[in-house]
Amino acid sequence: MPKQVDHEGRRRQIADAVCLLVDEHGLEGVTLRDVATRAEVSMGAVQRCFRTKEEMLRFALAHIGERVTERVRRRLAAGPAQSAASELGLVAREVALLREEHRAEARIWLAFVAGAAVNPALAATLRSSYAALEELVVRLLAEASGGGGEAGGGGGDGAGLGESAEVRAADRTEARTLLALADGLTAHVLVGHRTAEEAEEVLHAHLVGLWGRR
């Protein structure tokens, strides 16, 4: 019997190798040969998984975005019961990649962001990653403000529905602001403009101000 290959597992294995090479050499330094060597697979295996280098890079970018999002979800699920406001703080800190053990991941993420600025295909993949994180943050904001279950719960004149829609718009604006702040802090820490501790203080101050406005 021929050996069965876990195709998706192999693609993720290759994506991990791409990320390691991006951290070491940047996007331009990634070659199919080096990826095959780092992933400990043949060149043919890489080419069977990905038709082009760009397809491989797009998958690697989506892979690292999913890795961050999944880590956030696991931490939320594994932690003790806490308020949505506390959960939101946890999410913001995870997304900002401020901890030392996530510094390489932060470098890889920003290398892809820089590449996406001039590569429409990478930009489209990056937007999908941001959109998934935004929906998670919007949900937590709605729960924290007590609006998670209120959509459509107003009276017969429709006033309740209008208020709910207004809350949702405010939540989305806050979610976009928070994610942009977290992204900016990732870059500030990487270039040494801020320490991780200072970035944590900035995030904390923003979240305190956010709840003060509600």
Side-chain angles (χ1 to χ4, degrees):
M1 291 288 291
K3 183 179 179 180
Q4 295 295 313
V5 176
D6 176 2
H7 187 67
E8 279 307 303
R10 176 63 57 80
R11 280 162 66 88
R12 289 191 293 272
Q13 177 185 352
I14 291 170
D16 284 335
V18 170
C19 289
L20 290 172
L21 289 167
V22 168
D23 188 29
E24 294 170 5
H25 308 295
L27 290 183
E28 296 305 316
V30 175
T31 68
L32 292 179
R33 185 175 302 280
D34 287 342
V35 169
T37 299
R38 185 60 64 92
E40 299 182 339
V41 299
S42 67
M43 282 278 289
V46 175
Q47 291 168 328
R48 283 191 293 275
C49 287
F50 302 102
R51 292 169 296 176
T52 65
K53 176 182 175 180
E54 183 169 274
E55 181 183 338
M56 182 177 68
L57 290 175
R58 289 201 310 270
F59 183 86
L61 172 55
H63 174 65
I64 196 168
E66 290 165 3
R67 202 161 70 189
V68 173
T69 304
E70 183 56 32
R71 186 169 64 238
V72 169
R73 289 185 174 131
R74 283 200 308 270
R75 288 203 65 193
L76 290 175
Q82 55 185 325
S83 68
S86 296
E87 289 182 339
L88 185 62
L90 184 154
V91 170
R93 288 170 179 81
E94 286 291 329
V95 171
L97 301 171
L98 299 179
R99 293 208 299 269
E100 184 63 36
E101 62 264 34
H102 297 150
R103 204 57 49 82
E105 205 168 55
R107 291 192 298 268
I108 296 163
W109 180 257
L110 287 188
F112 273 113
V113 170
V118 294
N119 184 316
L122 282 180
T125 302
L126 187 61
R127 288 195 297 272
S128 294
S129 294
Y130 280 134
L133 287 169
E134 182 179 310
E135 291 309 315
L136 176 59
V137 174
V138 166
R139 178 178 64 78
L140 289 173
L141 283 165
E143 291 176 6
S145 61
E150 292 179 1
D157 61 359
L161 182 60
E163 290 169 2
S164 181
E166 184 179 345
V167 168
R168 285 198 299 272
D171 289 339
R172 190 158 299 280
T173 297
E174 291 287 6
R176 290 170 178 171
T177 301
L178 182 59
L179 288 175
L181 175 62
D183 233 20
L185 289 173
T186 304
H188 284 206
V189 171
L190 278 185
V191 303
H193 182 59
R194 290 282 175 262
T195 66
E197 292 74 20
E198 289 171 335
E200 289 268 7
E201 291 171 2
V202 171
L203 270 180
H204 178 71
H206 177 78
L207 289 168
V208 169
L210 188 159
W211 304 128
R213 294 192 297 272
R214 286 173 173 256

